[in-house]
Amino acid sequence: MKKFFCLLLFFVFLTCSATEDKRKAFQHYYYSGKYTEAHAILQQAFTEPLTRQIWEERLHLQEDFPGCTETGSNPSARATAMLRIGLIENAKQEFTTDWLSFLGRATIAGWQNDFQMARNYLRQAIRLHPDDSDLLYYAGTFADNDAESLDFFQRYLKSKSVDSTKKSSAKQRVEFIKKTQGVRLNLSNIPTPVETIESEFNDKRLLINAKIDKQNDVVLLLDTGAAGLSLKDRNWKARNATDFAMIGLGSKQRARGALVVFDHFSAGRFQVENPVAAISKALNGSGIDGIAGSIIFSQFNMVLPMSNDADVILSSLDSKDLLAHLESKGTHYERKVTLPFYQVGKMIILKGQIKKSDKEMDMLLDTGAQTSIVSAAAARRYVHINYPKTFREKGKVRLSGIGGGIDNIIHLDNVDIEIGPLKKSFNRMVALNLAQISETLDLEVDLILGQDFLRGYTLLLDYKNNEVTFLS
């Protein structure tokens, strides 16, 4: 398994720069749905012309700005803007034959789990624009082996990139590759085609027991909204520590931590040799020792029960044969709804609808979230905001994430969510600014789909074919 791609999106290495204040202000406005305010400071927030042009296109796709002529001159920039806001099919139609379009095609190929095609597109892009720092950075991320990763990241570090975040990240990536050179990471296996992991559904959380090296009875939240294995800080005996930051919800959306390698991880008869894990003092959650994210299990099909009546199942069988196996063992489902998804850093992104939006809303399927959360931008556009309750409850923490308690919650009334033929209505829901998560994913997340929607279903996750089946 590639050492960095699966960790890229939710494990971002540390950086801090006072010069990024305008950019942060811009992103806060943009992801709050305050497009006019964001447009007013765009020129100050981004000095690099192409980056600014892509943001300009993104703003114009969201809202009209009478009198503004700073758009329409670069079709590839517009296509990239479409891609970033989730208009994937529209972006495909707009791509040309320049390097930026090939980078966009590489991005989509990665989301479709076709990494070889992603590398092919990146090679075409680099041939057209060999010194572009962003291309070198992404080529290092998608590289087929450690030697290629080192080469691209080292070339990136010699480039004229002004992105301090990526520079810091590249330095730490080079360090981690060197520390783990020759070690095959995250090697997973199951002894039979169908294996069961005992689980319990406690306080709306799907929990499993695991063993890490010699530490028995490690309780983990099984969370499709996390990229990898994340642990609370304790006396773990691990190797190859590298500083980094975790991205997630909380008062501090970036939490400092260390990236380490253990010898062995097991849950039931599922085994992982040389598992990579993130350790952070900021990781919250009562009654658990950490979070088991999708990267650990994604070599297999998974059956996740959103109730207490069954255990987690891992299988090397294809989905059809796995369902037939379950039927033969007496597990029968009346309804089966299969939906396609994109894998964005091993995150499951479904397309759906919020109230009267189009059906292109990007929804992060998150079994670790007890409640669904609408993005602030989508809420302002499509949902009725309960302003009196929002102002009345301001500062009263009611939710928490890896970065601690969450404030600045927006309260919503009467929210309808549709994903394919699946529909649910909620009298009350909340919205948050999802800037950090969206920026990390390079995709605007419109909704975090939590347990209040998923409860009662059993989920069959097929990572190979990018499909999830809702069973009931």
Side-chain angles (χ1 to χ4, degrees), residues 213-461:
D213 289 349
K214 296 181 180 180
Q215 299 275 356
N216 291 309
D217 300 322
V218 178
V219 180
L220 300 174
L221 171 67
L222 211 162
D223 186 0
T224 59
L229 178 62
S230 305
L231 301 171
K232 292 181 177 179
D233 191 25
R234 57 186 258 193
N235 190 30
W236 302 103
K237 304 296 183 184
R239 300 172 279 139
N240 307 310
T242 303
D243 288 343
F244 82 111
M246 297 174 66
I247 302 299
L249 296 177
S251 55
K252 294 183 178 179
Q253 292 191 19
R254 291 194 179 203
R256 184 182 294 269
L259 196 64
V260 302
V261 179
F262 289 101
D263 292 324
H264 186 79
F265 171 94
S266 62
R269 298 206 296 172
F270 170 71
Q271 311 282 330
V272 184
E273 300 301 322
N274 300 317
V276 177
I279 297 176
S280 175
K281 293 180 179 179
L283 187 62
N284 290 289
S286 62
I288 63 171
D289 300 296
I291 297 170
S294 305
I295 185 177
I296 304 172
F297 307 101
S298 59
Q299 298 301 303
F300 305 99
N301 284 342
M302 300 179 65
V303 177
L304 303 181
M306 299 293 103
S307 62
N308 248 342
D309 59 356
D311 290 318
V312 172
I313 294 173
L314 297 180
S315 178
S316 57
L317 301 176
D318 63 31
S319 295
K320 182 179 178 180
D321 289 341
L322 177 55
L323 285 173
H325 170 84
L326 295 177
E327 291 275 355
S328 72
K329 297 297 182 180
T331 302
H332 177 70
Y333 297 103
E334 295 289 340
R335 191 184 186 201
K336 306 178 183 69
V337 176
T338 299
L339 301 171
F341 63 77
Y342 290 96
Q343 290 189 49
V344 183
K346 293 300 178 183
M347 303 295 102
I348 295 174
I349 301 293
L350 296 163
K351 289 292 187 179
Q353 184 174 359
I354 303 170
K355 291 289 282 189
K356 295 183 180 180
S357 75
D358 59 29
K359 297 183 178 181
E360 292 299 311
M361 297 288 99
D362 291 296
M363 301 181 177
L364 170 63
L365 191 155
D366 188 351
T367 59
Q370 293 190 16
T371 183
S372 298
I373 299 171
V374 181
S375 74
R380 289 182 187 277
R381 176 167 288 185
Y382 302 114
V383 183
H384 179 263
I385 297 176
N386 188 330
Y387 284 104
K389 185 174 182 179
T390 297
F391 289 123
R392 188 168 60 247
E393 300 291 326
K394 188 174 182 180
K396 297 180 181 179
V397 175
R398 293 180 179 273
L399 298 174
S400 63
I402 67 165
I406 301 169
D407 51 16
N408 296 320
I409 295 171
I410 301 169
H411 292 270
L412 312 174
D413 294 334
N414 303 319
V415 182
D416 303 322
I417 298 173
E418 296 186 24
I419 308 169
L422 306 177
K423 302 178 182 180
K424 278 194 179 181
S425 297
F426 300 87
N427 293 329
R428 301 285 184 269
M429 194 173 277
V430 298
L432 295 173
N433 187 308
L434 300 180
Q436 284 281 13
I437 290 175
S438 297
E439 280 295 293
T440 306
L441 291 173
D442 271 341
L443 177 71
E444 292 183 28
V445 175
D446 299 299
L447 177 79
I448 295 175
L449 197 69
Q451 286 288 348
D452 51 0
F453 188 96
L454 302 174
R455 195 175 306 130
Y457 291 109
T458 293
L459 305 179
L460 170 54
L461 306 182

Side-chain angles (χ1 to χ4, degrees), residues 56-74:
E56 186 79 56
E57 296 287 355
R58 287 174 72 170
L59 283 162
H60 282 260
L61 285 167
Q62 304 284 15
E63 189 171 297
D64 291 329
F65 297 95
C68 179
T69 59
E70 299 295 323
T71 185
S73 61
N74 186 336

Side-chain angles (χ1 to χ4, degrees), residues 5 83 95 100-112 114-115 117-123 125 135 138 142:
F5 178 76
L83 183 60
F95 284 142
L100 185 58
S101 292
F102 283 120
L103 176 58
R105 292 186 180 99
T107 300
I108 296 172
W111 291 353
Q112 294 173 328
D114 190 345
F115 299 121
M117 183 61 70
R119 287 190 285 271
N120 290 341
Y121 283 134
L122 280 168
R123 291 189 188 101
L135 285 179
Y138 287 116
F142 281 87

